[in-house]
Amino acid sequence: MRVLVIEDDKSVAEFVRTGLIELGHTVDVVHDGRDGLFQATCESYDAIIVDMMLPSVDGLAILNALRASKIGTPMLVLSAKSKVKDRVEGLRAGADDYLVKPFAFEELVARLEVIVTRGGARDERVTTLAAHDLEMDLLARTVTRSGSEIELHATEFKLLEYLLRHKGNVVTRTMILENVWDYNFDPQTNIIDVHISRLRQKIDRGHDKPVITTVRGAGYKIPADG
């Protein structure tokens, strides 16, 4: 699952980001409301966690703007504003759920899973990614090829998910490092090549057609017709 967290409290944002990454999810974090709104409209996410009190553009404005733009991404409000009128206002603006701070991480995850499952039916969001005879189920977090399940580690799953989301396009090593590892490594490091090699061994074993192709001097690509 790919999640956008729009939260100006950096300690809370890091707490949520770390917890979700440990569960194998991909997480982007933005601390400013205007930047968060831009990110939410330019990228595709399975869920958005948004605070109500944000600099530049507040959470309520983000909810209204996204729903007005017909963006149906499931959204969970995470806010210290606990009055009934605040919760009602957030839900009426388009939030799928509202969780008051302080909160238990387990509850946040449970609520997130519920709205993603429910939201999939509402806006017919794609919950699977595929290439050739390989299929990734983003909710069950499983990968199969020709019907046989392939066991992937969390990083391998994130790497394959990123490549599948950009099917048909070349993704550079720098893009992969920034979006899969969330760190800025030296682009000359061989960490990408090592993980791509291991991933290929798992998903291509016993099959004639490779899923991931190497674009010499540029990066990697899953062909659009793959």
Side-chain angles (χ1 to χ4, degrees):
M1 182 164 61
R2 189 182 186 201
V3 182
L4 172 63
V5 178
I6 310 174
E7 169 63 69
D8 64 326
D9 186 323
K10 294 185 178 180
S11 62
V12 172
E14 181 60 20
F15 172 69
V16 173
R17 187 190 77 88
T18 300
L20 291 176
I21 287 177
E22 288 177 351
L23 292 176
H25 303 301
T26 300
V27 184
D28 291 335
V29 175
V30 179
H31 302 299
D32 178 86
R34 182 176 290 108
D35 293 338
L37 180 57
F38 176 80
Q39 188 80 2
T41 54
C42 293
E43 297 285 343
S44 176
Y45 293 96
D46 299 296
I48 297 173
I49 298 174
V50 58
D51 187 13
M52 290 294 275
M53 296 180 287
L54 293 163
S56 301
V57 176
D58 64 27
L60 196 63
I62 291 175
L63 290 167
N64 283 316
L66 293 180
R67 294 312 187 216
S69 300
K70 306 301 181 183
I71 294 176
T73 306
M75 289 188 278
L76 170 66
V77 169
L78 187 61
S79 177
K81 301 179 73 173
S82 59
K83 293 182 179 180
V84 173
K85 69 177 185 66
D86 295 319
R87 299 199 301 271
V88 170
E89 192 174 39
L91 293 169
R92 284 180 172 168
D96 295 270
D97 202 350
Y98 196 112
L99 184 59
V100 176
K101 301 175 183 177
F103 61 94
F105 180 72
E106 292 81 1
E107 182 179 4
L108 181 144
V109 172
R111 288 174 179 262
L112 206 57
E113 291 173 346
V114 168
I115 66 171
V116 168
T117 302
R118 188 174 61 211
R122 182 185 64 199
D123 68 346
E124 299 183 347
R125 290 181 59 80
V126 174
T127 58
T128 60
L129 300 172
H132 191 43
D133 55 351
L134 180 143
E135 184 173 289
M136 170 179 281
D137 187 318
L138 298 172
L139 297 181
R141 297 196 63 75
T142 58
V143 175
T144 59
R145 185 162 187 188
S146 296
S148 298
E149 187 167 347
I150 302 169
E151 185 177 343
L152 299 180
H153 296 306
T155 300
E156 293 168 342
F157 190 96
K158 289 171 64 178
L159 175 57
L160 181 58
E161 179 184 353
Y162 185 73
L163 291 168
L164 285 169
R165 286 186 181 278
H166 293 80
K167 187 170 70 170
N169 299 311
V170 176
V171 293
T172 67
R173 288 173 174 79
T174 299
M175 290 168 63
I176 294 173
L177 286 169
E178 291 178 347
N179 289 279
V180 176
W181 272 266
D182 297 317
Y183 294 108
N184 293 314
F185 288 97
D186 179 350
Q188 299 303 314
T189 181
N190 70 342
I191 187 173
I192 298 298
D193 303 302
V194 170
H195 279 79
I196 288 286
S197 177
R198 291 175 180 171
L199 182 59
R200 278 172 166 162
Q201 289 175 19
K202 292 187 176 183
I203 64 177
D204 290 336
R205 186 184 298 125
H207 299 276
D208 295 329
K209 184 175 182 178
V211 174
I212 304 168
T213 62
T214 300
V215 181
R216 191 173 299 278
Y220 300 98
K221 177 181 181 179
I222 293 181
D225 59 349

